[in-house]
Amino acid sequence: MNKNIRDTKHKNKLWQFPWGYRESFLIAFFLLLSGFLIDLIDGGGVRMPAWPVNIAIIIIFIIYFILIHYLVKHPIVKWLSSTPAAIAAISTFTLMVLLLGFIPQTPSPADPSLLDSLGLTNVTSSWPYLMSALYLLVVLGFTIVRRFKSFTIKNIAFLLNHIGLWIVVVTASLGSSDMWRLSMGLETRHPSYTAFDSKGQGYNMGFGMILLDFNIEEYPPEVGLMHNRDHTLKLEKGGKLATVKEGTTDILDHYTLTFEKYIPFARKYGDNYDTTSIAGGARAVYIIAKDERNGNTAEGWVCDGSYAIPADYLILNKELSVAMTQLRPKKYSSDIRIYHSMDEYEDFYIEVNKPVTIDGWKIYQTGYDEPMGRWSETSIIELVRDPWLPVVYIGIFMILFGTLYLIWMGKGRIKTKKA
Amino acid sequence: MTWLEFPTYILLTSVFWLLALVLLLTPKRSVFHSLKGVFLFLGWASIIVFTIGLWISLERPPFRTLAETRLWYAVFISTIGIVLYYRWRLPLMLAYTLLMAILFLFLNYLNPDTFDKTLMPALQSPWFIPHVIVYIIGYAFLGFSSLIGVYGLYLYYKGKEVDRTLLMADNIVYIGFAFLTFGLLFGALWAKEAWGHYWTWDPKETWAFLTWLSYLLYIHFRIRKKQSPKTALWIIALAFVVLLICWFGINYLPSAQSSVHVYSS
Ligand code: HEM
């Protein structure tokens, strides 16, 4: 099956064909070196070309693989689809990703350190990274073309994996320059027209959007024992919090807590809490805490507080109090109206994990005014346009099917091992 | 069922499994030897009961915290060990997987988690469970294959034959690698739905990808038949280090201060 298998033990001179590991790794080394040099001298990093240059590059790439494969019978072409080349390419790429994994990716262009100048604080747009990715893609490309002849199941799985990966890497990187990711804050009172990219550049969207309603569904409130000295929660081994539910009791440490009354939207009136319909209400619970060691009881209101009213604790003794944990959103959602023109509008609903597509934009719920919590009058959404997405998905699904075969067949060489 | 009952269950599991391992040493034909299956099952059943109980009491799948993933790791690796034992009679592997599982349960005993019933909104997705399950299965297989690699290194330096060991590692890597690929790709599809982009080079993603690349390297290194077995064994052993960094080490890396995936503790 493999024409270029040869004994690696038998060493020939460096750069004498056929090339093996030494040559493959040396080439990788030179590629990285030149990448670092370009970054040092030029300092700008790599800018991926946008449509239609990127599609042209891809087509030229593919034609180039096929033509070279069929027309040029040089040993270098053979080497380009050999395992040593693949190993060197995968290792080099892995090395670059390792650097990415260890070095914080926070470039400081104003005052560049050596790491910045080498592009290592922004690996994915550095030249050495691009070089290693190119090496990988070229070797992968030639490997694919060489196997494009017999369509046994094994070969199909091979092609699905390798072509799928090629497609994903190429389209995800070259396609990134055609992707738009904008963020927009919507308000209840006035429509918003401008969205911002990650650099803070604003874009007029050509339509206006207004927030009709913002909703948070929250987890049930919980109380725990808190150290008075530093306001940290006291948690025993496997320590737990008690879930507040009117009319129930729970045990924390040596204390039995009875939840007498719970008010989901409360405000303090004198010493007492009562339901309020005004914005800014917090959650309050009336607790009777009994110390099981001595029978002492303490009782009072515990409140988590909001932007409008302070939190309240039930003091048990010098060390401990009962406190309520902050509201945690279970899910949040927005009702939004989009104005295509003055009198033509459309309403839609979005929730985390449930984006909608409108006018070619995929719209995601990403945030809200957190200090305001459930009283937020702002909803933050993200608008994404990614024309290459379907192609990336094709690649992803090809790999999924290709690797299914790996599970199914395993390496499958055990039986023929003696051959 | 909550973490408070956890000690009882791990005690049961550990005792049953240790008994089973002792019985494994008795002569093949003795009654004791055949009894080991019973103890294997009892140990397994008690940890499964606990896991299901925890799931029910938390009212969410227990995949959120580090302790919860360790619990699942113990469940999966012991299951794999027991299945492989009955399929191919690999007593050493059975011992390894059970001891690893006990170790992980014990780590949980020392570092239990606080009760965390909540799941941030982005994690409430139908992708969540498949994503984590395939990852954990992948990790269990790959960790297992790397241990075989370490065992192979031991054989190699004692001057013994390692071909068969490597072939076994190959098959297990293929399976684990496929699951890891699924984990990565499911993660990408999910991220697209939840955050608007399929890949953001978040530290957890980066390290999962590195793990994937390490085993990819191993797979390709093993394609040629006459490769040095020593190098192959070292690759697979080192790949495990990357896997461990991905799983546990991330929280300590300077590059990971803002990962959305770092397990809360
Ligand atoms: C999704 C990722 C990948 C998977 C699952 C994968 C899997 C495989 C498998 C299972 C084989 C053995 C096939 C056989 O012998 O029939 C193989 C061979 C090979 N792969 Fe990959 N691979 C992947 C990525 C890559 C990459 C990134 C490269 C190169 C940069 C590469 C280059 C090669 C080469 C050169 C061969 C040998 C082909 C031959 O002998 O005909 N692969 N790959």
Side-chain angles (χ1 to χ4, degrees):
Chain A
M1 140 198 113
N2 230 327
K3 276 181 255 130
N4 56 350
I5 285 180
R6 72 199 159 83
D7 193 351
T8 35
K9 296 272 155 53
H10 172 80
K11 290 231 162 77
N12 39 16
K13 270 213 208 107
L14 197 58
W15 302 117
Q16 186 184 329
F17 294 111
W19 289 355
Y21 281 105
R22 286 172 306 168
E23 292 84 357
S24 308
F25 274 99
L26 274 172
I27 289 172
F29 175 76
F30 287 125
L31 284 172
L32 284 191
L33 197 68
S34 50
F36 281 121
L37 279 178
I38 299 178
D39 260 346
L40 263 183
I41 295 164
D42 172 57
V46 185
R47 269 275 183 83
M48 284 291 167
W51 186 269
V53 181
N54 47 12
I55 182 79
I57 293 180
I58 294 176
I59 292 172
I60 292 172
F61 227 167
I62 295 174
I63 295 178
Y64 162 83
F65 288 140
I66 297 174
L67 284 186
I68 300 270
H69 175 76
Y70 284 107
L71 297 183
V72 185
K73 293 289 170 225
H74 193 272
I76 287 192
V77 181
K78 230 174 180 183
W79 164 77
L80 276 169
S81 63
S82 68
T83 351
I87 297 287
I90 300 173
S91 312
T92 313
F93 189 68
T94 309
L95 176 74
M96 289 315 295
V97 182
L98 263 177
L99 291 173
L100 168 71
F102 274 118
I103 301 171
Q105 298 295 298
T106 42
S108 51
D111 172 28
S113 64
L114 180 63
L115 283 184
D116 288 321
S117 317
L118 288 173
L120 290 177
T121 50
N122 193 1
V123 170
T124 52
S125 36
S126 73
W127 277 94
Y129 174 81
L130 179 74
M131 292 291 188
S132 70
L134 270 180
Y135 194 19
L136 191 82
L137 290 174
V138 170
V139 174
L140 193 52
F142 279 103
T143 309
I144 293 166
V145 186
R146 183 162 60 77
R147 285 280 284 260
F148 230 105
K149 42 187 178 228
S150 69
F151 290 95
T152 55
I153 294 190
K154 186 175 160 127
N155 235 355
I156 291 174
F158 173 94
L159 289 172
L160 284 175
N161 277 326
H162 291 84
I163 298 178
L165 186 68
W166 198 87
I167 291 179
V168 169
V169 175
V170 168
T171 51
S173 42
L174 274 174
S176 64
S177 38
D178 292 326
M179 188 176 75
W180 288 83
R181 271 186 100 176
L182 303 172
S183 164
M184 198 165 178
L186 304 183
E187 291 175 21
T188 45
R189 282 177 246 280
H190 357 262
S192 315
Y193 296 94
T194 317
F196 298 88
D197 67 12
S198 58
K199 295 189 191 75
Q201 164 97 35
Y203 299 87
N204 189 332
M205 298 306 295
F207 50 72
M209 282 201 266
I210 195 163
L211 179 64
L212 300 177
D213 195 14
F214 177 75
N215 269 303
I216 289 192
E217 193 179 301
E218 63 222 37
Y219 279 105
E222 289 175 318
V223 295
L225 298 180
M226 179 185 78
H227 295 290
N228 291 337
R229 79 186 115 82
D230 53 5
H231 284 209
T232 53
L233 278 181
K234 174 177 191 284
L235 293 169
E236 298 293 302
K237 248 192 186 167
K240 62 166 197 167
L241 300 167
T243 304
V244 172
K245 206 170 159 198
E246 196 169 293
T248 62
T249 57
D250 207 333
I251 298 171
L252 282 182
D253 232 3
H254 306 287
Y255 297 92
T256 305
L257 307 178
T258 308
F259 304 118
E260 284 281 303
K261 187 170 171 57
Y262 171 64
I263 309 177
F265 294 91
R267 223 169 226 275
K268 198 164 188 176
Y269 298 97
D271 283 340
N272 235 330
Y273 282 82
D274 212 340
T275 298
T276 176
S277 54
I278 312 170
R283 304 179 297 176
V285 56
Y286 193 83
I287 297 180
I288 301 174
K290 183 171 175 205
D291 187 336
E292 295 297 341
R293 288 167 303 189
N294 51 25
N296 291 348
T297 60
E299 58 186 277
W301 287 96
V302 173
C303 171
D304 68 344
S306 73
Y307 71 94
I309 61 171
D312 223 340
Y313 315 109
L314 169 60
I315 296 169
L316 297 171
N317 53 38
K318 268 205 215 89
E319 278 91 47
L320 292 176
S321 301
V322 181
M324 191 182 288
T325 58
Q326 267 169 1
L327 181 140
R328 299 211 219 190
K330 191 168 183 177
K331 64 181 185 199
Y332 45 94
S333 57
S334 305
D335 289 299
I336 296 171
R337 174 165 295 174
I338 176 169
Y339 288 92
H340 300 292
S341 67
M342 278 303 265
D343 42 23
E344 190 193 344
Y345 61 79
E346 191 182 339
D347 291 349
F348 63 94
Y349 167 90
I350 54 172
E351 185 185 313
V352 181
N353 268 322
K354 295 193 181 123
V356 296
T357 306
I358 285 177
D359 283 6
W361 293 93
K362 203 153 186 187
I363 302 179
Y364 295 80
Q365 172 81 69
T366 51
Y368 55 95
D369 185 351
E370 292 192 15
M372 295 286 279
R374 53 186 175 176
W375 299 107
S376 174
E377 292 183 358
T378 311
S379 174
I380 300 167
I381 60 169
E382 191 168 68
L383 301 115
V384 180
R385 183 164 224 158
D386 188 358
W388 290 84
L389 188 66
V391 194
V392 177
Y393 277 6
I394 291 176
I396 287 184
F397 279 99
M398 288 176 78
I399 304 177
L400 282 178
F401 284 106
T403 41
L404 261 186
Y405 175 83
L406 291 187
I407 300 186
W408 193 243
M409 293 306 289
K411 174 120 175 165
R413 229 205 254 153
I414 284 188
K415 285 194 201 100
T416 59
K417 129 180 190 269
K418 291 271 146 58
Chain B
M1 195 137 348
T2 65
W3 285 111
L4 296 181
E5 283 94 56
F6 183 60
T8 322
Y9 283 88
I10 63 158
L11 189 68
L12 281 174
T13 300
S14 312
V15 169
F16 284 138
W17 280 348
L18 291 175
L19 261 172
L21 290 179
V22 172
L23 291 177
L24 198 64
L25 298 175
T26 58
K28 280 246 160 58
R29 301 194 175 267
S30 75
V31 195
F32 293 122
H33 195 82
S34 47
L35 259 181
K36 70 179 186 308
V38 177
F39 288 108
L40 279 178
F41 176 77
L42 285 176
W44 185 79
S46 93
I47 198 66
I48 292 289
V49 166
F50 175 77
T51 308
I52 296 174
L54 184 69
W55 188 324
I56 295 171
S57 87
L58 288 178
E59 295 162 23
R60 63 162 174 80
F63 287 121
R64 175 88 182 92
T65 64
L66 201 51
E68 287 163 5
T69 65
R70 282 196 295 246
L71 176 65
W72 282 103
Y73 187 81
V75 168
F76 283 120
I77 198 168
S78 57
T79 311
I80 290 171
I82 294 172
V83 170
L84 286 185
Y85 174 75
Y86 281 102
R87 176 78 178 75
W88 284 298
R89 297 282 145 187
L90 303 169
L92 260 182
M93 295 311 150
L94 180 65
Y96 153 72
T97 53
L98 294 191
L99 291 176
M100 280 295 275
I102 291 176
L103 175 73
F104 273 79
L105 293 176
F106 193 68
L107 280 178
N108 270 0
Y109 172 69
L110 296 179
N111 288 307
D113 276 25
T114 55
F115 265 49
D116 190 353
K117 277 198 177 181
T118 61
L119 210 50
M120 61 188 267
L123 292 183
Q124 297 164 26
S125 153
W127 284 108
F128 183 45
I129 296 176
H131 170 70
V132 181
I133 287 189
V134 289
Y135 256 118
I136 289 176
I137 297 179
Y139 282 173
F141 272 100
L142 292 175
F144 187 39
S145 70
S146 287
L147 263 288
I148 297 178
V150 172
Y151 175 67
L153 277 176
Y154 163 80
L155 290 180
Y156 180 83
Y157 284 108
K158 287 193 79 179
K160 296 215 176 102
E161 164 83 357
V162 291
D163 280 4
R164 255 184 62 85
T165 317
L166 271 172
L167 283 177
M168 185 152 80
D170 285 348
N171 278 302
I172 292 169
V173 167
Y174 269 50
I175 301 174
F177 182 79
F179 274 103
L180 190 61
T181 310
F182 272 69
L184 278 172
L185 297 180
F186 283 4
L189 296 175
W190 173 16
K192 181 74 202 172
E193 282 311 286
W195 284 281
H197 198 39
Y198 42 83
W199 195 263
T200 50
W201 292 106
D202 171 277
K204 190 84 188 177
E205 286 169 6
T206 305
W207 280 92
F209 185 48
L210 276 169
T211 313
W212 186 83
L213 284 170
S214 315
Y215 287 96
L216 186 71
L217 197 64
Y218 174 82
I219 289 180
H220 287 86
F221 189 76
R222 289 285 295 154
I223 289 173
R224 282 196 176 186
K225 299 200 176 66
K226 292 210 172 118
Q227 300 290 12
S228 132
K230 186 170 102 180
T231 314
L233 290 167
W234 274 109
I235 295 178
I236 196 176
L238 290 179
F240 195 42
V241 177
V242 178
L243 189 154
L244 287 179
I245 295 184
C246 175
W247 198 355
F248 300 109
I250 294 232
N251 304 30
Y252 307 104
L253 288 179
S255 54
Q257 295 316 321
S258 60
S259 174
V260 292
H261 291 96
V262 169
Y263 297 109
S264 58
S265 52

